[in-house]
Amino acid sequence: MFKIIVLLSSLFIASCATVAPIVNSNSPINIYGVTTLPPQNGDWVVITASGYQSSLGSKGVNKNESQVVNVSIFQLPSLDSDKKFLEYIVSSRASAPNTGRFENKENTENLSSLNGAVCVKYHSISQDTNAKIQGGKASMLFESIGYNCQHPKKNTVGVNIEYSSRYFVDTGYSTLQNDSDAFFNNIQFTEF
């Protein structure tokens, strides 16, 4: 009997370990040089967490739809002007591999600022022609709004902050701009 209880307890504990934890909306998310609060709309779970990156996900309005927020840091070369920074980010974003799966529908990139940092703000919409969903594959839209910033305390460290949504064409995501703005307003650049 004891062996059965131990076996059942082990299975229960193992099954709980594979479920991603729901994030407390009041608990700050910290990576090297950046802190923020999680989005305040809905239940978010941890996808990735390290000193260099934090990704959270949430279910969308319909089955197979989702939202993701990502905050990560990356190395930047020494750039001596905002214009060169913009050119570097535009070039880097354009160099992503073309797999044929995503068809770019819209993309804007502009110099901007975010809480004291020089940034390039972007808004992109792509059609995912081979999105994996439960029960097969479908065509979905992938929309992202984000910032690539020079960290104000060390300009050779880049910070990418992105809020994205994957949804069906007929669903739309009319609150993405407001939801992302609320998330971006909580970003704080901190010492390393």
Side-chain angles (χ1 to χ4, degrees), residues 53-75:
Q53 178 180 11
S54 174
S55 297
L56 306 176
S58 179
K59 291 181 181 179
V61 174
N62 296 311
K63 184 177 179 180
N64 295 306
E65 296 180 335
S66 59
Q67 286 87 47
V68 172
V69 294
N70 181 68
V71 180
S72 59
I73 59 173
F74 59 96
Q75 191 65 43

Side-chain angles (χ1 to χ4, degrees), residues 140-174:
M140 298 181 79
L141 292 179
F142 178 76
E143 184 173 2
S144 60
I145 300 174
Y147 289 87
N148 280 301
C149 303
Q150 285 182 308
H151 197 288
K153 309 226 184 260
K154 187 171 186 180
N155 66 2
T156 57
V157 174
V159 181
N160 175 250
I161 306 134
E162 181 175 275
Y163 197 118
S164 63
S165 180
R166 186 179 89 139
Y167 55 89
F168 293 106
V169 174
D170 58 344
T171 302
Y173 187 14
S174 61

Side-chain angles (χ1 to χ4, degrees), residues 87-106:
E87 291 169 354
Y88 178 83
I89 294 299
V90 169
S91 173
S92 296
R93 292 188 74 234
S95 68
N98 183 0
T99 62
R101 178 176 164 180
F102 293 93
E103 181 184 330
N104 188 25
K105 298 289 188 186
E106 177 184 319

Side-chain angles (χ1 to χ4, degrees), residues 40-55:
Q40 303 295 300
N41 59 329
D43 292 332
W44 291 79
V45 296
V46 175
I47 298 172
T48 304
S50 73
Y52 301 97
Q53 178 180 11
S54 174
S55 297

